[in-house]
Amino acid sequence: MQKPIALICAYNEEKHIKDTIEKTLKHIKKVIVVNDGSKDSTLKEIKKTKAILLNHEVNKGKGEALKTGFEYCLKNNYNPIILLDTDGQHDPSEIPKFIEKINEGYDIVIGTRKKRYSQMPLHRRLTNFLSSSMLSLVMKQYVKDTQSGYRAINLNVLRNMKFISKRYDLESELLVKASRKGFKITNVPIRVIYGEEKSTIHPIKDTLRFFRLLYRAIFKWN
């Protein structure tokens, strides 16, 4: 029997977090929010909702927040897990499309941004294209939008899988290791709403982490 759940990692998202949770709960019964050491009113806003709260006292990075959420899902047998961002870009009404693909037998479903070439800032378009192309080569299968944070994961993917990444690169590590274990990965088109939000990805540090991950994937991981 399925026990679907949404997993949201939040850091300094006081403007969007409550609205994101409430919209998500309209399409899925359970929502976990990992507050990753936010310094603003994010924690207070989460407590106003019916979301399950997992709290980091200090900021550890998205990868560590995901690990905390994954551990909770494994312990409580929630499956599948829907990942989405807190900044209002992802439309929770599209959650059923992800669950449908999981029900078709896929293990990971990536939300592919349909209008990213017309709406996404140029530097992010280029970064996304290059990172997706390089990661697809390492994975030996094509994934159009590897950097999309909107995705669904079958719980079986996470069993007996150990992660070393601590920040955004964990999302790429997950794809590489899942593909090498033979899990089925697919895409679904999604719409993305670009507003005034600012990315928390550090253009230099997170790029270096990505290349370090590629090096490990090519030369160190089986």
Side-chain angles (χ1 to χ4, degrees), residues 4 27 65-66 124 165 182:
H27 302 281
L66 285 170
R124 290 179 61 184
S165 302

PDB file of all heavy atoms in Angstrom, residues 4 27 65-66 124 165 182:
ATOM      1  N   PRO A   4       2.261   7.962   0.126  1.00  0.00           N
ATOM      2  CA  PRO A   4       3.022   9.066  -0.475  1.00  0.00           C
ATOM      3  C   PRO A   4       3.215  10.231   0.484  1.00  0.00           C
ATOM      4  O   PRO A   4       2.374  10.493   1.352  1.00  0.00           O
ATOM      5  CB  PRO A   4       2.167   9.474  -1.673  1.00  0.00           C
ATOM      6  CG  PRO A   4       0.792   9.049  -1.323  1.00  0.00           C
ATOM      7  CD  PRO A   4       0.948   7.797  -0.503  1.00  0.00           C
ATOM      8  N   HIS A  27      -2.891  18.257  -2.418  1.00  0.00           N
ATOM      9  CA  HIS A  27      -2.665  17.201  -3.404  1.00  0.00           C
ATOM     10  C   HIS A  27      -1.995  15.962  -2.815  1.00  0.00           C
ATOM     11  O   HIS A  27      -1.845  14.959  -3.522  1.00  0.00           O
ATOM     12  CB  HIS A  27      -1.814  17.747  -4.549  1.00  0.00           C
ATOM     13  CG  HIS A  27      -2.436  18.932  -5.219  1.00  0.00           C
ATOM     14  ND1 HIS A  27      -3.459  18.824  -6.137  1.00  0.00           N
ATOM     15  CD2 HIS A  27      -2.205  20.268  -5.071  1.00  0.00           C
ATOM     16  CE1 HIS A  27      -3.818  20.031  -6.536  1.00  0.00           C
ATOM     17  NE2 HIS A  27      -3.071  20.921  -5.916  1.00  0.00           N
ATOM     18  N   ALA A  65      19.913  18.186   4.698  1.00  0.00           N
ATOM     19  CA  ALA A  65      18.478  18.286   4.953  1.00  0.00           C
ATOM     20  C   ALA A  65      17.731  17.142   4.265  1.00  0.00           C
ATOM     21  O   ALA A  65      16.809  16.543   4.844  1.00  0.00           O
ATOM     22  CB  ALA A  65      17.952  19.637   4.472  1.00  0.00           C
ATOM     23  N   LEU A  66      18.126  16.832   3.041  1.00  0.00           N
ATOM     24  CA  LEU A  66      17.515  15.706   2.340  1.00  0.00           C
ATOM     25  C   LEU A  66      17.765  14.389   3.073  1.00  0.00           C
ATOM     26  O   LEU A  66      16.865  13.554   3.199  1.00  0.00           O
ATOM     27  CB  LEU A  66      18.049  15.626   0.910  1.00  0.00           C
ATOM     28  CG  LEU A  66      17.506  16.657  -0.080  1.00  0.00           C
ATOM     29  CD1 LEU A  66      18.302  16.605  -1.383  1.00  0.00           C
ATOM     30  CD2 LEU A  66      16.019  16.435  -0.360  1.00  0.00           C
ATOM     31  N   ARG A 124      21.763  30.623 -15.961  1.00  0.00           N
ATOM     32  CA  ARG A 124      21.211  29.378 -15.411  1.00  0.00           C
ATOM     33  C   ARG A 124      20.860  28.399 -16.521  1.00  0.00           C
ATOM     34  O   ARG A 124      20.968  27.183 -16.353  1.00  0.00           O
ATOM     35  CB  ARG A 124      19.991  29.689 -14.545  1.00  0.00           C
ATOM     36  CG  ARG A 124      20.348  30.406 -13.247  1.00  0.00           C
ATOM     37  CD  ARG A 124      19.134  30.739 -12.413  1.00  0.00           C
ATOM     38  NE  ARG A 124      18.409  29.552 -12.004  1.00  0.00           N
ATOM     39  CZ  ARG A 124      17.257  29.593 -11.331  1.00  0.00           C
ATOM     40  NH1 ARG A 124      16.719  30.766 -11.008  1.00  0.00           N
ATOM     41  NH2 ARG A 124      16.635  28.485 -10.991  1.00  0.00           N
ATOM     42  N   SER A 165      27.707  13.421  -0.321  1.00  0.00           N
ATOM     43  CA  SER A 165      27.511  14.849  -0.586  1.00  0.00           C
ATOM     44  C   SER A 165      26.678  15.485   0.518  1.00  0.00           C
ATOM     45  O   SER A 165      25.809  14.836   1.109  1.00  0.00           O
ATOM     46  CB  SER A 165      26.819  15.053  -1.933  1.00  0.00           C
ATOM     47  OG  SER A 165      27.560  14.465  -2.978  1.00  0.00           O
ATOM     48  N   GLY A 182      20.768   0.325 -11.661  1.00  0.00           N
ATOM     49  CA  GLY A 182      19.759  -0.188 -12.573  1.00  0.00           C
ATOM     50  C   GLY A 182      18.350   0.325 -12.336  1.00  0.00           C
ATOM     51  O   GLY A 182      17.399  -0.200 -12.931  1.00  0.00           O
TER      52      GLY A 182
END
